[in-house]
Amino acid sequence: MAYSGGSKDLLRGGVNRARILDLLSREPGLDRTTLAVRMALTVAAVSRIVSELIEAGLVVEGAAIAKKGVRGPRRTQLKLNPSGGRLVGISILPFNASVQLSDLCGDEVVR
């Protein structure tokens, strides 16, 4: 399903969205509960934000995390969606310039 909200909807409350994207870029595979603890937010708030990021195509769910002795539904790993966006890096030096296009995970697409 394509994200139906506008860019303003995605940017509203953008600090927590940015924090979630940053944490997932540094530590792929975190689950909603771990994100909530690290960000000092409720699991419900993190779940709402993650759902919006999934709908926008920026985050994807991975495998369920099996924990022995833990009740309730299995936690699901989250990671950035490599095809969810592109990053452009530009380096300009006195005698050299370069441009690199990367996917959302930072893997080089074109140099």
Side-chain angles (χ1 to χ4, degrees), residues 4-109:
S4 59
S7 60
K8 289 183 182 176
D9 291 335
L10 187 59
L11 294 175
R12 189 177 11 177
V15 171
N16 288 331
R17 284 179 185 79
R19 289 176 63 199
I20 288 173
L21 292 171
D22 181 57
L23 282 168
L24 291 176
S25 72
R26 295 171 191 272
E27 299 178 58
L30 294 176
D31 61 84
R32 289 168 178 85
T33 303
T34 304
L35 287 169
V37 169
R38 294 226 183 136
M39 297 175 63
L41 295 173
T42 65
V43 175
V46 169
S47 291
R48 180 186 54 78
I49 294 168
V50 167
S51 293
E52 292 170 359
L53 293 171
I54 289 171
E55 189 176 344
L58 299 174
V59 171
V60 293
E61 293 183 306
I65 303 169
K67 300 254 183 171
K68 292 184 180 181
V70 177
R71 293 181 172 213
R74 289 187 177 176
R75 296 178 178 183
T76 305
Q77 294 179 336
L78 301 167
K79 62 181 184 173
L80 295 179
N81 181 4
S83 62
R86 297 289 185 246
L87 307 169
V88 176
I90 301 173
S91 173
I92 301 174
L93 302 171
F95 300 103
N96 186 15
S98 64
V99 177
Q100 178 175 323
L101 180 66
S102 300
D103 65 20
L104 199 57
C105 294
D107 297 324
E108 185 178 307
V109 176

